[in-house]
Amino acid sequence: MATQTTDKFKKIISHAKEYGFVFLSSEIYDGLGAVYDYGPYGVELKNNIKEYWWKSMVYLHENIVGLDSAIFMHPKVWEASGHLSAFNDPLIDNKDSKKRYRADVLIEDQIEKIREKINKEVKKAKKRFGDSFDEQKFIETSQRVQKYLSQIEEITKRFVAAMENNDLKELRQIIEDYEITDPVSGSKNWTEVRQFNLMFETKLGSVSDEANSIYLRPETAQGIFVNFLNVQKTARMSLPFGIAQIGKAFRNEIVARQFIFRMREFEQMEMQFFVRPGEELKWFEYWKEKRWNWHINLGFGEEKYRFHKHDKLAHYANAAYDIEYEFPFGFKEIEGIHSRTDYDLSQHQKFSGKKIQYFDNELNKSYVPYVVETSIGLDRTFLMILSNSYTEEEIRNEKGQTESRVVMKIPPALAPVKIAVFPLVKKDGLPEKAKEIFKLLKPYVKVVYEEKDSIGRRYRRQDAIGTPYCITVDHQTLEDETVTIRDRDTMEQERIPITEVLDVVQKKTSMTELLKNLL
Ligand code: GAP
């Protein structure tokens, strides 16, 4: 990771803590690995992200309904789904640094490193040849690039085969053959590769040795599958239709790093779309496009996203893509779109002994539906928004001096606080007037009132939280019922009548407007 991007990421993490977005869990006891709490502004942002996702799924699609299933499920669920036997990560330890890694991630990172070398070569050549540069031709003819490409091809081929065959020895061999080193210490002194199941186990019942082992769900999807018939029948749904759910999931991640990117307790927003067998790939393309548009609609720029096709498919899938976002530490998965075939429903049918089928009136027959899933991490979306919004700017303050400000340019509809109300000074009846406006706005939008500190410091504080608007009540307000309204991004101020404040704020921060673009 380049130093600049590491620095930016560090700043984002400390900003998130300092301004009440994210705290370490149990911080007074020095924290708990890869578990985090969301503070006063974090929880608002999180709720807004959920609203954006939920409404885009359940309100904008008449054939999608919601569900809130329990975290604990019958232990057979995880036998049927394959998680008990196959939800494993290959782990490897470095004997010198005593650090633990995922062998597959070490290999994937090695492939990415070679890709970066190719990008560097292309950039260098572009500079050398200027306007006449033909990238494709360069890639085809440069011996060095071709060498890198064949390396990638070779590693990928071996890697995919090893993962598919659960061949831990081969994974270890790849690490040795390509001289993959510990990213921290540079050491090549590795242990063997072992499998590690990611599910958290606990006991159900009061007497622990007699009680049954149950698991904290590692994905919310299974709660949807086991409720397929309940939902289909009670909501009178016909195929194709979807079930959406937001909820906690738990994974005992081997390597939990990068702040809230990889957590042991996290939240997923998942939608399972049930379709006729044979139509799944058409719907897969449909959902790929829909989900791409949902991201682009946030306005961060298309260049910040890319699709990544899975080389190794999960045991249940016949097609899978990730949407990746360019975090400060590189392009990483934020969402998965998977064609899961009829695997899950068929498995639950087999393990429960209950028929899980849909009668298709048009075809006049029953079958187990196929499923296309969209699965996005709420916490990763949160981190994406923090990363994209964090901006440092040089500005001129009220006294004409330059100073730097940190502003969170969060999309206004998702901003934790929509507007702040300030009296210019703490006297002359200004606080009373400001509180009147504060009360007026409260039922409509998340608004805060602040009278402490200089007006400049109050603006800075709201910038740091990402509040799109601040209004200031001054002496003129008492004469003509107008206030100044300041825009977070441009810092421009305008005078408007108090009666227009709500309208201006609601228009610019409207979730409805954001959703309308997706229709
Ligand atoms: N039901 C399919 C499923 O769970 P996944 O790719 O394992 O698929 C889906 O997870 C999404 O959940 C990921 O794209 C990611 O955003 C999020 N996610 C997975 N593991 C996570 C973790 N340990 N911490 C935070 N988010 C995670």
Side-chain angles (χ1 to χ4, degrees):
M1 213 190 325
T3 337
Q4 222 177 352
T5 52
T6 324
D7 284 352
K8 183 176 175 198
F9 190 45
K10 278 189 188 148
K11 283 181 184 170
I12 292 168
I13 296 171
S14 63
H15 188 87
K17 155 122 205 268
E18 190 180 343
Y19 287 93
F21 284 94
V22 182
F23 307 129
L24 264 183
S25 158
S26 330
E27 193 184 346
I28 56 168
Y29 294 99
D30 298 330
L32 182 68
V35 187
Y36 292 89
D37 299 336
Y38 286 84
Y41 302 110
V43 65
E44 294 291 340
L45 174 56
K46 217 173 161 195
N47 284 341
N48 294 340
I49 300 169
K50 285 192 214 176
E51 184 185 349
Y52 176 45
W53 184 86
W54 187 262
K55 287 189 169 165
S56 76
M57 284 294 178
V58 179
Y59 290 22
L60 298 192
H61 296 94
E62 58 276 32
N63 57 357
I64 297 184
V65 289
L67 179 75
D68 184 14
S69 69
I71 287 170
F72 291 146
M73 301 181 74
H74 195 286
K76 280 238 165 191
V77 166
W78 308 112
E79 259 179 74
S81 69
H83 282 84
L84 210 50
S85 57
F87 196 54
N88 301 317
D89 275 345
L91 77 83
I92 188 165
D93 292 289
N94 187 280
K95 292 185 202 160
D96 295 329
S97 71
K98 308 271 181 267
K99 293 238 176 264
R100 180 160 284 181
Y101 296 94
R102 268 173 59 180
D104 55 332
V105 172
L106 285 176
I107 297 169
E108 276 168 356
D109 285 351
Q110 183 72 9
I111 295 172
E112 198 52 39
K113 265 191 207 155
I114 305 174
R115 257 197 209 112
E116 271 166 26
K117 283 187 190 165
I118 296 176
N119 290 342
K120 255 194 201 148
E121 290 293 323
V122 171
K123 247 191 207 154
K124 253 193 339 207
K126 211 182 238 169
K127 225 176 175 181
R128 206 170 345 124
F129 295 112
D131 288 343
S132 61
F133 183 61
D134 180 342
E135 187 169 324
Q136 196 51 39
K137 201 162 162 207
F138 173 75
I139 289 174
E140 282 163 15
T141 52
S142 159
Q143 278 187 357
R144 200 171 283 171
V145 171
Q146 284 302 315
K147 191 183 91 193
Y148 291 146
L149 281 173
S150 54
Q151 262 180 15
I152 292 179
E153 198 184 337
E154 190 187 302
I155 307 179
T156 309
K157 218 162 123 194
R158 284 179 65 183
F159 173 52
V160 171
M163 290 300 282
E164 271 170 8
N165 302 328
N166 239 331
D167 188 346
L168 303 181
K169 280 211 166 74
E170 170 68 352
L171 284 179
R172 174 72 174 77
Q173 198 57 49
I174 297 173
I175 289 174
E176 196 167 316
D177 291 351
Y178 290 93
E179 301 190 336
I180 297 176
T181 54
D182 179 330
V184 178
S185 67
S187 150
K188 284 185 256 176
N189 194 4
W190 296 109
T191 61
E192 292 306 304
V193 178
R194 283 165 291 151
Q195 283 295 23
F196 178 77
N197 193 286
L198 299 185
M199 283 200 295
F200 283 102
E201 189 178 343
T202 185
K203 300 277 181 197
L204 186 78
S206 52
V207 188
S208 66
D209 35 337
E210 283 174 19
N212 286 325
S213 271
I214 58 163
Y215 301 90
L216 299 186
R217 67 181 177 196
E219 62 169 11
T220 60
Q222 297 305 323
I224 294 179
F225 292 128
V226 298
N227 277 296
F228 168 74
L229 283 180
N230 282 339
V231 175
Q232 190 259 320
K233 288 190 175 141
T234 54
R236 301 157 55 83
M237 306 304 286
S238 17
L239 248 55
F241 79 94
I243 304 178
Q245 165 156 246
I246 299 176
K248 289 265 184 173
F250 304 82
R251 295 181 190 178
N252 198 1
E253 297 283 359
I254 300 172
V255 187
R257 272 201 222 107
Q258 290 161 327
F259 193 39
I260 54 172
F261 182 80
R262 195 175 300 287
M263 304 157 89
R264 296 204 166 98
E265 172 178 342
F266 58 101
E267 237 168 311
Q268 289 185 317
M269 305 190 285
E270 297 201 299
M271 193 279 298
Q272 312 294 321
F273 200 70
F274 299 93
V275 302
R276 253 186 208 164
E279 291 188 356
E280 72 276 11
L281 292 180
K282 177 183 91 185
W283 286 109
F284 180 70
E285 289 305 320
Y286 172 90
W287 281 109
K288 251 176 77 189
E289 189 186 330
K290 281 267 166 192
R291 294 306 305 150
W292 178 264
N293 293 342
W294 185 90
H295 286 279
I296 300 307
N297 193 32
L298 289 172
F300 299 161
E302 292 219 20
E303 69 286 357
K304 299 291 286 181
Y305 298 90
R306 69 182 187 194
F307 274 119
H308 168 78
K309 185 173 184 276
H310 280 215
D311 294 320
K312 54 177 170 76
L313 289 173
H315 57 277
Y316 47 72
N318 71 357
Y321 272 78
D322 294 336
I323 295 177
E324 295 184 339
Y325 170 79
E326 191 178 17
F327 287 97
F329 42 86
F331 273 100
K332 295 277 172 205
E333 172 189 344
I334 183 153
E335 170 156 15
I337 298 137
H338 312 125
S339 174
R340 289 178 79 129
T341 67
D342 60 352
Y343 176 82
D344 301 270
L345 290 183
S346 298
Q347 285 291 98
H348 288 306
Q349 184 168 255
K350 191 166 132 198
F351 278 74
S352 67
K354 310 262 164 37
K355 197 168 156 191
I356 307 179
Q357 300 207 348
Y358 172 79
F359 182 75
D360 190 322
N361 281 320
E362 264 175 48
L363 301 181
N364 198 28
K365 65 171 189 185
S366 294
Y367 51 78
V368 178
Y370 271 47
V371 173
V372 175
E373 159 186 79
T374 73
S375 174
I376 178 169
L378 175 54
D379 312 86
R380 276 190 200 176
T381 311
F382 188 103
L383 184 59
M384 167 180 81
I385 291 166
L386 285 193
S387 307
N388 206 84
S389 306
Y390 183 90
T391 317
E392 290 174 1
E393 287 178 350
E394 290 292 317
I395 56 155
R396 279 196 178 278
N397 66 17
E398 308 92 72
K399 293 177 193 143
Q401 303 148 327
T402 49
E403 63 173 63
S404 58
R405 74 160 181 161
V406 172
V407 50
M408 294 299 280
K409 295 191 173 175
I410 299 174
L414 302 181
V417 176
K418 303 294 189 246
I419 185 164
V421 181
F422 309 146
L424 182 64
V425 286
K426 235 181 348 176
K427 57 182 183 187
D428 304 335
L430 300 188
E432 289 74 13
K433 187 69 190 168
K435 277 183 191 157
E436 243 177 60
I437 301 173
F438 174 54
K439 194 170 165 193
L440 194 89
L441 296 172
K442 265 193 216 178
Y444 297 95
V445 287
K446 176 67 188 158
V447 50
V448 296
Y449 171 85
E450 276 202 45
E451 57 179 28
K452 263 191 244 144
D453 296 328
S454 74
I455 197 81
R457 286 187 77 161
R458 281 180 269 168
Y459 283 150
R460 276 315 85 75
R461 193 173 155 70
Q462 293 306 318
D463 287 345
I465 292 163
T467 307
Y469 291 103
C470 296
I471 57 170
T472 304
V473 168
D474 54 18
H475 292 93
Q476 192 180 327
T477 311
L478 303 182
E479 286 162 25
D480 64 5
E481 292 283 308
T482 63
V483 288
T484 60
I485 183 159
R486 174 187 178 270
D487 182 288
R488 174 193 73 192
D489 299 339
T490 63
M491 292 188 296
E492 270 165 22
Q493 299 191 27
E494 257 191 278
R495 241 194 139 81
I496 60 167
I498 293 171
T499 48
E500 284 178 18
V501 170
L502 183 61
D503 206 36
V504 169
V505 175
Q506 276 189 321
K507 248 190 211 136
K508 280 273 176 79
T509 65
S510 162
M511 182 67 77
T512 314
E513 291 303 316
L514 192 67
L515 288 164
K516 272 189 193 165
N517 302 331
L518 298 176
L519 279 174

